[in-house]
Amino acid sequence: MKNDFQFEPQTMERIVDRLADQAGIDPASLEPSRITWTVERRCRQLDIAGALDYVALLETSHDEMDNLIDSLVIQETRFFRDPQVFDHLRVWAQQTAAGCAGPLRILSAPCSTGQEAYSLAAVLRCAGRPLNEFSIDAFDISPSALAIAQRGVYSAGALDHVPDELRSACGTLRDRRWEMHEELRKCIRFDRRNLAREDAIDTGATYHLILCRNLFIYLHARARAALAAMLSKALVPGGRLIVGAGDRVAEINALFVPLRPAAGFGFVHRPAPKAPVAGIPVTAPPARIRIVHREKPAARSETVPLPATADEFYRRAVDCMERGNARQAERRCRQALYLAPAHLPALEMLERLWHLHPNPRIKRALSARIERVRLQSANTGAVLRAPDGGAA
């Protein structure tokens, strides 16, 4: 007989608190209905009659917590997701080959069902890196996702959008299934790791490249800070960090700087500030761009100051939107958020720009981030306002 579970708000809060503590998940990034539905399903699978009985099990059983996390994690990925990222990595691999002593070490975390790790291996192979000159660690919290990754077999349509060269570098189509090349599988070490834990990455591990995409936006502040610090320690000097479109959070900005021209997703370590020379005051002049008028050789140069505040970048974003240049508007919003991660007008414009984003989870997580900023503003009594003076 089907049970009609009644979960009191306090009961669900205890479950959500356990999820936040164990997996670093920001509850605001998950739909409440999804959490409730998942918990109800687990109760039926375990033949548990009441909600409090399930909470008691969850608080004493590591296995059940793992099962609940595994049920909530959405395994959404694909081969060569965001082609511009892999175009960038192919050039990086070719440029790094001459100056890197020893094999390249790469981390893909979270790796989900493995498509990103196999894509990385194929790109490195096509860039001319011999198979014995790189290794890939691929970590994820989900046992079911890792089982698929380790098997390395995917549907016939999984590589339809991929160019022939990369498709053949990945695997072979047999019986309407793509089987990853055995030599690629030997280059990848799949392992279960909880990236919300400070010991998720082995002590002393050093990587030349880390891909950590679309994870920060789903974590609460404490987990974001711990993960950013862990990635910073694991990345070798001069190494590269690749994040997702919605992962430009304050914790990333504190330790890394964007890598141009890949500023939308690529980062390197933030340089340590230089100590000032004793007795000599250090002043930083405002950044300026020199514009030289070429029409007349004797024309005088003039300087145009770059925006120095988040509000100024936001105004530029508004101008770009009015001219119909959505791409530049998004860029200016990101620049505003780099200076002020809680700049609500920029966040809200970014949300409007992303209304057609194909990934509903990213849109939902961005909405949750906006709601957190609004709540923080309400709690502190500060009302963020748009530069025109209107309440944000």
Side-chain angles (χ1 to χ4, degrees), residues 72-91:
L72 285 170
V73 171
I74 301 175
Q75 301 165 8
E76 181 179 338
T77 187
R78 61 182 180 273
F79 285 97
F80 303 97
R81 185 178 188 177
D82 301 324
Q84 69 273 23
V85 171
F86 288 93
D87 290 342
H88 171 79
L89 293 179
R90 185 169 187 166
V91 174

Side-chain angles (χ1 to χ4, degrees), residues 14-312:
R14 288 173 63 182
I15 295 174
V16 168
D17 287 345
R18 291 288 295 174
L19 283 169
D21 181 61
Q22 296 296 313
I25 298 173
D26 182 354
S29 68
L30 296 174
E31 292 180 358
S33 59
R34 175 175 173 78
I35 299 177
T36 302
W37 175 83
T38 302
V39 171
E40 289 177 354
R41 187 181 64 174
R42 290 300 303 160
C43 287
R44 293 189 177 95
Q45 290 173 340
L46 297 169
D47 196 23
I48 292 178
L52 289 177
D53 292 337
Y54 181 74
V55 173
L57 173 65
L58 197 65
E59 292 178 345
T60 57
S61 170
H62 292 294
D63 289 342
E64 181 51 32
M65 175 56 68
D66 290 344
N67 289 329
L68 180 59
I69 293 171
D70 195 29
S71 299
L72 285 170
V73 171
I74 301 175
Q75 301 165 8
E76 181 179 338
T77 187
R78 61 182 180 273
F79 285 97
F80 303 97
R81 185 178 188 177
D82 301 324
Q84 69 273 23
V85 171
F86 288 93
D87 290 342
H88 171 79
L89 293 179
R90 185 169 187 166
V91 174
W92 169 82
Q94 292 168 337
Q95 294 174 343
T96 306
C100 181
L104 289 176
R105 296 199 64 227
I106 299 168
L107 174 62
S108 170
C111 67
S112 187
T113 45
Q115 289 94 324
E116 180 175 272
Y118 289 116
S119 299
L120 282 168
V123 161
L124 292 170
R125 191 177 187 182
C126 290
R129 300 292 302 200
L131 292 171
N132 62 346
E133 288 191 7
F134 67 87
S135 64
I136 299 172
D137 287 340
F139 301 154
D140 202 273
I141 197 173
S142 169
S144 60
L146 288 169
I148 296 172
Q150 290 167 338
R151 185 166 175 246
V153 178
Y154 301 94
S155 67
L159 290 161
D160 282 352
H161 62 289
V162 177
D164 291 342
E165 179 191 18
L166 293 174
R167 188 186 301 134
S168 60
C170 284
T172 304
L173 186 62
R174 293 193 182 97
D175 298 326
R176 303 179 67 180
R177 295 280 181 178
W178 278 100
E179 298 179 7
M180 298 296 99
H181 292 310
E182 183 65 23
E183 56 267 30
L184 290 191
R185 295 176 61 185
K186 291 179 179 178
C187 298
I188 305 171
R189 177 175 70 106
F190 291 104
D191 196 13
R192 185 170 185 267
R193 303 288 178 91
N194 182 351
L195 295 172
R197 294 179 57 92
E198 295 181 0
D199 59 351
I201 298 177
D202 300 333
T203 302
T206 53
Y207 296 101
H208 300 91
L209 172 68
I210 297 176
L211 277 78
C212 185
R213 301 202 286 167
N214 302 324
L215 175 60
F216 278 93
I217 198 169
Y218 297 112
L219 302 179
H220 56 64
R222 179 166 49 85
R224 292 196 304 267
L227 178 58
M230 185 166 51
L231 295 181
S232 179
K233 292 177 182 177
L235 190 66
V236 301
R240 300 195 180 185
L241 171 67
I242 306 296
V243 299
D247 286 327
R248 187 69 176 273
V249 293
E251 293 77 10
I252 288 284
N253 294 335
L255 297 174
F256 300 92
V257 292
L259 178 69
R260 301 189 182 281
F265 53 82
F267 292 81
V268 295
H269 282 116
R270 179 174 290 281
K274 295 182 179 180
V277 178
I280 301 179
V282 177
T283 57
R288 294 179 179 271
I289 298 176
R290 292 185 62 81
I291 301 178
V292 179
H293 297 279
R294 300 182 182 275
E295 295 81 6
K296 299 178 182 180
R300 192 176 46 156
S301 298
E302 62 180 86
T303 58
V304 178
L306 286 172
T309 68
D311 281 348
E312 291 173 2

